[in-house]
Structures are given as structure tokens and as C-alpha cells.
Amino acid sequence: MAVTTALDRPFTLERPSFNPAPATLALASVIGGALYLNAAVNGRQALLFLVGTCAGVALYHAAFGFTASWRTFITDRRGAGIRAQMLMLAVTCAVFFPLLATGQLFGQTLRGSVSPAGVSVIAGAFLFGVGMQLGGGCASGTLYSTGGGNTRMLATLAAFIAGSVIGTAHMPWWTSLPAAKPLSLITRFGAATALAISLSLFALLAIATVVFERRRHGSLADQRTPRRGWRRVLQGPWPPAAGAAALAAVNIATLSISGRPWGVTSAFALWGAKALMAVGVDVAGWPYWAAPAQTASLNSSVLADVTSVMDAGIILGAFAASAAAGRFAPAWRVPMRSLAAAIVGGLMLGYGARIAYGCNIGAFFSGVASGSVHGWIWLPSAFLGNVAGTRLRPFFGLRT
């Protein structure tokens, strides 16, 4: 019997319209977390935590996962999810490129997510793509599904963390392989030309999905949602375009507040490394963690890490959104084959993200939004991984 995950199930209106106890707990946790971060760290961390919370709400209500969207296109040629991703990228690039070309905002230095492009990115993105389909989510998808009450995703998240820290141990070998130096389209061509190139590519990809979808089905799928007004805002579901705009706003806010784009998976590596340190493993001696910035992260509280507090916000935001929608109902029984897929997929997600310099958020979304060539190389490699992962799903009892 095929097994579904939270990212597979369509939104329905059959459940109660509100879960008061979980909603109260979620709201109290968000308010308490923001107040504590403001007092214990600084106001910036509190703001970033709230930005992460907004990301969790948007991801949940829009069901904005790369995993299901890509699989739907692979198996059924429905491309609404991919077109929403192109819209998200277009909006973000239109704001990012001029800001990154300037290099500062309100006196704060800005830097993009620009990384080397080579063998490690290709291999890592492919592994990540396979892991997306077996684990049941991407990086942001794993977090918002966990917060939304998908207990299977707890296994994916744990394996994701383990795979991330294993990837840090192997980074010296991967970085020794052939790779081009970090290259930004903004630096190479200037903001205006780089934006024109990027927008043209987004349009071509969106048009391609329309052609494939109409060729298969004759028309595009209806994206209208059953709720209207404030009830839809608070309880969902949101149309894909709304999710795209909201996540573009999240990345723009992250760049404006922290000085660098949104990322997700570096926190997983940090959490795993700290866990190993707690049991006596000399992680600090690994080359990856010897870099000054990584050493500082190891020696500091996770509350001082931007990515960690935003990830926590995503989980709590999805928790609040699922409770508001009346859909927070964890089911603790997970079939063994599905659990095995979650673990294998999570390991591949974590390892692939680390050696590819990021995930669908850090490498693809923020990389492309920064004009980085490595983000464009990540995309086809991860898509091919998704094709392979989709074909593997039936072996684990997961539906295609």
C-alpha cells in the first residue's frame, strides 16, 4: 500500500477549523521566543526569528514545497509549483541585484550567497534531489512539515542533521575536486544586465512548463482556493503566487536585517557538530570547523546563529499555521519502509546540501538571487536527482 506524506496530501476543509490548545501554545512560544532572544542576544536575532516564523506560516499555508512541485511536474507535467518558484525568484532578484551591486544597506555591508561551481555542487545537488523524494521534503519542507505535525519528518530531520555533519567531515576531499571560482553574474555583467539574463531564464522555464502542461492536459490546472478573505489568510490554503511573494519577502527581509541571504542547512551541520562535541568528539579539529567563522559558531550559543533561530521560527510558524487551520493532528505510526526512506533520504539531503554549498534555499533560491553561477548548476543537477528519487519511491511504499 502506498504511503502519503504531508506534502502529498491536498488541502481539505474536513477537519475542525481551529485547534485552540496547539494554537495558544504556538503563539506563546513565538512571543516568548522573540522576547527571550531580544533580551539574551539582541533585537536583530529576535526580528530574524520572527521572519523565520513568517516563513513557516507561508510555507505551510501555501504548501510551498519544492519536492511535491517537482514530482508533480515529473510524473504529471503539472507546472504551477515551478511557475510559482520562478515568480519567487524574479521578485527576489529584482530587489537583490541592485542592493548587492551597491554592497550596503543602511550602513550594513551586504554579501550574496556566491560559491564555487564544480563537481561537488553537481554531485551534492543530485544527492539532495534523490533525498528530497525519499525523505519527503526539501530543507524548508522538512522544517515546516515537522512543525505542522508530520511525525515521519522527525526521522528525516534527524537524518538530515546527521548527513550534514558527515558532509562537513568529508569537505576537504570534495573541495579538492575540479571547480570554477565563485562567479556572480552581478559582478561579471552589472546588476541591470544580470537581472535581464535571469528574468529571461525564469520566463523560459515558466513557459516550458506551460507548454508541457498544455500538451499533456490541454489546459492549465485551476489554482483557485476554496476560502476567501481573512479566513484564507489565517487558515489557508494560499494560492502558489501568494506563497511565492511571501517567501520573496522573507529572503529580502533576511538580507536587509542580517546582511546575507536566507539559508537553512548550515544550522543542521552546526547542531550535529555540537551534539558530537557533547559526547567527546573533537569536531573542532576538522578542517571545515577550523575556519574562523565556523570556530566562532562552535564556541557560541546556537541562539547567536542566524540560521538556527530562523529555522526554529519556521517550525513554530508552521505549528501555528497548522493549528490555525485545524490540521495539527500528529500520527505516530509510520510504516517501516516509509521510515527507512525518511532516514536514507534525510542522510542524502544533509550530505548533499553540505557538499553543494547549500540546499534548495541556500544554494538555489539564495544562490540564484545572488547571481551565483553555482545556483544555476545546482538546479538541473537537483532536478535529475528528483527524477531518480521519484522512480525509487515505489520501492519504499511511497506514492509517485
Side-chain angles (χ1 to χ4, degrees):
M1 180 178 67
V3 176
T4 62
T5 70
L7 296 180
D8 296 321
R9 292 191 295 269
F11 189 97
T12 67
L13 300 180
E14 297 174 359
R15 293 185 180 276
S17 61
F18 188 68
N19 295 145
T24 301
L25 177 60
L27 183 60
S29 298
V30 170
I31 294 173
L35 292 174
Y36 181 78
L37 284 168
N38 182 61
V41 186
N42 54 46
R44 187 191 73 160
Q45 289 296 85
L47 280 175
L48 289 166
F49 170 73
L50 293 175
V51 170
T53 301
C54 293
V57 172
L59 286 162
Y60 186 87
H61 277 331
F64 205 96
F66 290 72
T67 306
S69 295
W70 288 14
R71 185 170 67 252
T72 299
F73 183 75
I74 291 166
T75 60
D76 198 37
R77 295 296 185 267
R78 289 295 190 187
I82 294 177
R83 290 191 291 275
Q85 292 162 23
M86 295 304 105
L87 173 62
M88 174 187 73
L89 286 164
V91 172
T92 308
C93 286
V95 178
F96 264 44
F97 281 24
L99 290 178
L100 292 173
T102 302
Q104 63 176 7
L105 180 66
F106 305 129
Q108 176 177 240
T109 300
L110 304 179
R111 63 176 179 84
S113 295
V114 183
S115 299
V119 174
S120 67
V121 173
I122 295 170
F126 181 85
L127 287 173
F128 189 90
V130 177
M132 286 168 69
Q133 296 303 332
L134 297 184
C138 54
S140 56
T142 298
L143 290 174
Y144 92 73
S145 295
T146 299
N150 187 329
T151 52
R152 178 183 184 270
M153 298 306 283
L154 291 172
T156 300
L157 179 58
F160 206 142
I161 293 169
S164 295
V165 77
I166 293 170
T168 66
H170 297 168
M171 277 301 288
W173 185 81
W174 285 104
T175 55
S176 71
L177 299 178
K181 292 181 179 180
L183 176 62
S184 166
L185 297 178
I186 301 170
T187 303
R188 179 68 179 81
F189 298 109
T193 302
L195 182 59
I197 293 171
S198 298
L199 293 178
S200 298
L201 290 171
F202 302 150
L204 286 173
L205 289 172
I207 292 169
T209 67
V210 171
V211 172
F212 279 112
E213 186 169 347
R214 284 181 171 163
R215 184 177 297 172
R216 171 72 67 87
H217 300 281
S219 62
L220 302 184
D222 186 358
Q223 296 300 311
R224 288 176 296 181
T225 57
R227 285 177 176 154
R228 294 291 183 269
W230 282 105
R231 189 179 182 196
R232 181 172 66 174
V233 173
L234 296 175
Q235 297 185 312
W238 294 1
L247 294 182
V250 165
N251 213 344
I252 293 166
T254 304
L255 178 70
S256 302
I257 298 169
S258 71
R260 53 109 168 141
W262 184 19
V264 173
T265 58
S266 64
F268 297 169
L270 178 62
W271 300 347
K274 283 185 172 290
L276 290 179
M277 288 176 62
V279 296
V281 179
D282 184 22
V283 175
W286 298 0
Y288 178 90
W289 297 104
Q294 306 296 1
T295 300
S297 295
L298 277 181
N299 294 331
S300 302
S301 166
V302 293
L303 298 180
D305 179 57
V306 169
T307 307
S308 293
V309 299
M310 290 192 68
D311 286 357
I314 291 172
I315 293 173
L316 287 175
F319 178 28
S322 65
R327 304 182 78 203
F328 187 79
W332 294 99
R333 295 184 62 183
V334 181
M336 287 304 298
R337 283 199 298 167
S338 178
L339 182 61
I343 294 170
V344 172
L347 288 169
M348 297 178 79
L349 285 164
Y351 194 89
R354 199 53 18 233
I355 68 173
Y357 302 101
C359 59
N360 57 298
I361 298 297
F364 176 47
F365 182 15
S366 291
V368 169
S370 300
S372 179
V373 171
H374 97 285
W376 285 107
I377 292 176
W378 190 97
L379 173 59
S381 302
F383 189 82
L384 289 175
N386 274 264
V387 173
T390 297
R391 293 177 178 175
L392 289 172
R393 284 173 63 88
F395 292 100
F396 293 92
L398 304 172
R399 78 175 189 179
T400 56

